[in-house]
Amino acid sequence: MKLKQIVSLFLAVVLLLASAMPVCAASPGLSNFKKQAEYTGFSDVPSSAWYAESVKTVCEYGLMNGKTASAFSPSGNVTIADAIAIGCRLHDIYSGGSGIFEQSSPWYKVYAEFWASFAKFSYYFDGKNTSFWTSNVTREVFAFIMDEALPEEAYKNINHIAPGILPDIDLCSDHWSSIYTLYNAGVLTGSNDMGYDGVYFPEKTITRAE
C-alpha cells in the first residue's frame, strides 16, 4: 500500500473515532464566565456614571443587552421577565452553556421554560399571564431569582450577617433567605437612605443600572 493511501486511511480512522467520541461539556463553575463580545458603549451610559463599568461587564459577558443598539436605558425598570432572562443566562453559562437562547414568542417564553427545568422553586412562576411577566420586579424577588440561578456553592460567604440583622427584611417573608445569601456573598449591600447601613427596601423596584 502506498504511503499516501496509508496516510489517508489513518486520517479516515482518526476522524471516525473522533466523531464517535462523546463531547464533554465544561464542568459547572464560575470559570465558565468569559467575555463573549466587545463592548462598544451606549449613548445613555456616560463613562463617568457609577454604573458604567457594570454595564460594560454584563454586556461583555452576555448577561444583559441594550434596549437598542445604541441605548441601554439605565433608568428603566427591570421586569420579572428581564430578571428571569438574566437568571437563565447566569445558570446556563455557569453550567457550561453559551447563555444564548433561541428566540420565542413572546420573547420570554424560552426563558420561562428553561427556568422551570432547573429552578428549585420553579412553581413560583407557574401559570402566570403576560401582565405578570411584564410587571416590574421588586428587589426581593430579584434577589430570589439570582439566588435560584446559581447553586449554593457559587455564593461563598465573605460576610457573616445573621438572620434578623437587616432591619427591613421580615424573616416571615418568602425571600428573606435569598437576600441574606446574597448579602453574605457580597453581591448585595444596603442603602444609607435611612441613616444606617443594611436597609434593602425589598418592596421597591429595581433599575437596569442597579
Side-chain angles (χ1 to χ4, degrees):
M1 184 178 291
K2 294 180 180 179
L3 178 61
K4 185 175 180 181
Q5 291 175 314
I6 294 174
V7 172
S8 297
L9 178 62
F10 174 73
L11 290 175
V13 172
V14 169
L15 289 172
L16 180 63
L17 290 175
S19 65
M21 292 173 66
V23 177
C24 297
S27 299
L30 295 174
S31 61
N32 292 327
F33 290 92
K34 297 177 174 64
K35 289 185 180 181
Q36 300 183 8
E38 287 297 319
Y39 179 70
T40 57
F42 296 101
S43 60
D44 56 357
V45 181
S47 58
S48 58
W50 64 266
Y51 50 81
E53 191 61 28
S54 294
V55 171
K56 179 177 182 288
T57 299
V58 295
C59 290
E60 286 180 335
Y61 283 76
L63 300 178
M64 292 181 73
N65 302 306
K67 279 294 188 180
T68 68
S70 61
F72 186 76
S73 187
S75 60
N77 283 316
V78 176
T79 66
I80 291 177
D82 292 332
I84 288 292
I86 295 170
C88 287
R89 291 168 191 150
L90 277 169
H91 181 86
D92 190 49
I93 295 172
Y94 183 91
S95 302
S98 66
I100 299 172
F101 292 79
E102 294 183 3
Q103 291 187 338
S104 64
S105 181
W107 70 267
Y108 54 80
K109 181 174 182 287
V110 64
Y111 296 107
E113 291 176 348
F114 183 67
W115 180 266
S117 72
F118 74 82
K120 291 178 293 184
F121 300 101
S122 60
Y123 60 83
Y124 185 83
F125 299 110
D126 282 351
K128 303 299 185 181
N129 57 24
T130 301
S131 62
F132 171 84
W133 289 106
T134 56
S135 63
N136 294 332
V137 71
T138 62
R139 291 167 62 84
E140 66 174 342
V141 173
F142 187 82
F144 165 68
I145 292 171
M146 295 303 102
D147 183 25
E148 284 273 272
L150 298 180
E152 183 178 352
E153 58 267 23
Y155 291 118
K156 302 293 185 183
N157 286 351
I158 64 171
N159 299 315
H160 301 283
I161 304 172
I165 294 297
L166 302 178
D168 64 344
I169 304 304
D170 186 350
L171 298 186
C172 292
S173 71
D174 290 339
H175 310 306
W176 73 267
S177 178
S178 294
I179 295 170
Y180 273 86
T181 293
L182 298 188
Y183 261 88
N184 280 315
V187 177
L188 297 179
T189 57
S191 169
N192 290 326
D193 287 4
M194 299 295 290
Y196 50 85
D197 290 327
V199 177
Y200 182 61
F201 299 108
E203 297 298 327
K204 291 183 71 173
T205 56
I206 189 168
T207 67
R208 288 171 55 81
E210 292 172 311

